[in-house]
Amino acid sequence: MSIPKFATPPPPSFHTVLKTRINDYFRERGTASTGNMRLYSKALFLVLGFLAVYTHLVFFTPTAGWAIFECLILSLFTSAIGFNIMHDGAHGSFSSKPWVNTLAASSLNFLGANTFMWKMKHNVIHHAYTNIDGIDDDLDAKPFLRLCETQKYHKFHKYQHFYFWLAYSLLYLFWIFFSDYKKYFTKKVGDIPLKKMTTKDHLVFWGFKTLHLILFVVIPIITVGAGAWAIGFLCYGLFAGFVLSIVFQLAHTVEHTHFPVPNTETNKIDDEWAVHQLKTTANFATKNRLACWFMGGLNFQVEHHLFPKISHIHYPKINKIIKNTCQEFNVSYIEYNKVKDAVISHVSYLKQLSNPAFSH
């Protein structure tokens, strides 16, 4: 599928007005749009918490029940580091200093994945072409799941709203042990070519993959044994996979989001890019303080997609500006009040797609 283009509206466009208002907000307050001490203190807590749990699990072997509990806690720390530290760092919004952003983004390498592949898949493709089947790699769970109506239907999709949680649980393990390598060797994300990797990129890829295997496979097997490691690592990896998957899915694959198809003659999307983002993205539980803290603002997905270089720390404030501008331009703003509401909508959407009649 060739890369589509977005419509160019007459000035002043929705996006132009919105960017001006957001820029004015930060300028008038003299506030940087990157992270602040709230973010840095949270990042320190998450890193220290992760290291403490890992150390206790691996070197001070707790009893079986307690060890499994700690594996699940380690999964939550892993997810939270991804949501809060890596995600902002990879977008360049964690700090005003590039080296700090690089360091924050590198937490992904330490956790077994690869920053180079993530930036291409997420920053470049997903953020530009959200919910466009054939381009947005986040929609590609084929053949296990059917995530939009243009995807091929298989008979087992009839039950996908029952078994989706199992597929989501496999994400993290699949990511670090298969999909990164597939991207590396095919030099593609889906059908989109990777940009050329430098010598440093290759060294980082293999160096951190090796380090991850040593820290999360070799050393634990030596200290606790292969059987205990296998049980613990599966608990850790499967739970982390589910948490990571469900948070991102609730932001894009729910009943009210759109999955635009480019015009076959012009290869254009009907909307300008910013309006496209609002049609394909949903917020949820933005009043839930625990959800906001843990998910690093990913429940403010609308704000993130419109302004990915602004740290999630600022999303609750710019949220009001975006909502008011949407109302003024008669642009829809999709939001679910609670996590539960978004989950119900997601499951309902999967159920709709389990019907072969629901196709484009």
Side-chain angles (χ1 to χ4, degrees):
M1 181 177 182
S2 59
I3 301 297
K5 296 185 181 298
F6 293 94
T8 305
S13 70
F14 167 75
H15 197 200
T16 300
V17 172
L18 189 56
K19 284 192 296 184
T20 300
R21 291 176 180 177
I22 297 298
N23 289 336
D24 288 345
Y25 168 83
F26 287 104
R27 188 182 67 253
E28 290 167 4
R29 286 157 182 75
T31 304
S33 61
T34 49
N36 54 29
M37 285 307 299
R38 281 177 54 210
L39 176 56
Y40 305 147
S41 59
K42 177 163 63 167
L44 181 62
F45 170 80
L46 293 174
V47 171
L48 292 178
F50 179 94
L51 293 175
V53 176
Y54 172 87
T55 301
H56 190 255
L57 261 175
V58 175
F59 299 108
F60 298 90
T61 317
T63 58
W66 190 255
I68 290 174
F69 174 73
E70 287 191 10
C71 287
L72 300 180
I73 295 299
L74 194 66
S75 298
L76 293 177
F77 274 115
T78 297
S79 302
I81 287 171
F83 295 152
N84 292 273
I85 303 174
M86 181 283 290
H87 194 237
D88 270 24
H91 280 292
S93 65
F94 188 85
S95 169
S96 58
K97 296 179 173 60
W99 71 268
V100 177
N101 285 319
T102 299
L103 182 63
S106 294
S107 60
L108 184 65
N109 297 330
F110 178 81
L111 295 171
N114 180 258
T115 305
F116 182 91
M117 302 302 171
W118 169 262
K119 286 184 176 180
M120 182 68 187
K121 167 189 166 66
H122 183 77
N123 294 17
V124 176
I125 299 174
H126 170 69
H127 269 265
Y129 306 102
T130 312
N131 279 13
I132 299 178
D133 184 31
I135 299 179
D136 185 358
D137 194 57
D138 283 8
L139 289 178
D140 187 8
K142 301 187 291 289
F144 309 107
L145 294 169
R146 185 177 183 232
L147 296 179
C148 67
E149 58 189 82
T150 53
Q151 293 180 347
K152 183 179 178 180
Y153 176 82
H154 295 282
K155 288 183 178 179
F156 54 81
H157 289 151
K158 180 179 180 180
Y159 307 102
Q160 68 174 8
H161 52 295
F162 295 115
Y163 68 73
F164 73 93
W165 60 272
L166 178 59
Y168 290 175
S169 297
L170 294 172
L171 168 78
Y172 181 62
L173 298 177
F174 186 79
W175 182 4
I176 62 177
F177 291 126
F178 178 76
S179 63
D180 268 352
Y181 292 103
K182 180 182 178 182
K183 294 178 180 68
Y184 183 89
F185 288 112
T186 63
K187 299 179 181 179
K188 291 181 178 181
V189 177
D191 293 327
I192 310 298
L194 284 175
K195 71 175 184 178
K196 188 175 181 180
M197 296 178 73
T198 64
T199 301
K200 180 182 176 182
D201 293 327
H202 289 288
L203 290 174
V204 168
F205 183 91
W206 289 110
F208 274 99
K209 287 291 186 182
T210 302
L211 178 63
H212 179 264
L213 286 174
I214 292 171
L215 292 175
F216 289 85
V217 180
V218 177
I219 293 177
I221 288 177
I222 292 171
T223 58
V224 305
W229 164 79
I231 294 170
F233 191 73
L234 278 175
C235 291
Y236 163 74
L238 293 174
F239 189 48
F242 179 77
V243 173
L244 291 166
S245 291
I246 196 68
V247 168
F248 282 103
Q249 293 292 1
L250 296 185
H252 297 291
T253 52
V254 286
E255 292 173 291
H256 298 93
T257 51
H258 292 213
F259 298 81
V261 176
N263 184 293
T264 53
E265 295 181 2
T266 64
N267 197 34
K268 276 192 172 184
I269 300 294
D270 292 336
D271 299 303
E272 64 167 302
W273 177 83
V275 174
H276 170 84
Q277 295 303 320
L278 280 149
K279 287 186 174 181
T280 57
T281 307
N283 281 5
F284 58 96
T286 56
K287 305 298 183 184
N288 184 324
R289 290 188 177 185
L290 179 60
C292 292
W293 185 91
F294 174 71
M295 289 188 262
L298 289 176
N299 54 327
F300 282 91
Q301 193 76 193
V302 170
E303 286 67 30
H304 172 61
H305 264 255
L306 291 171
F307 297 99
K309 291 189 177 297
I310 294 176
S311 173
H312 72 267
I313 290 292
H314 305 290
Y315 292 166
K317 295 294 184 183
I318 67 173
N319 167 271
K320 298 173 185 177
I321 300 171
I322 295 172
K323 279 186 174 179
N324 290 338
T325 308
C326 285
Q327 189 172 18
E328 182 181 328
F329 278 79
N330 197 28
V331 176
S332 61
Y333 186 102
I334 307 168
E335 184 168 19
Y336 297 92
N337 291 328
K338 299 178 180 179
V339 173
K340 177 188 69 175
D341 298 334
V343 170
I344 290 171
S345 183
H346 176 61
V347 174
S348 178
Y349 177 68
L350 290 177
K351 186 176 181 180
Q352 288 177 19
L353 288 167
S354 71
N355 186 340
F358 195 78
S359 59
H360 190 271

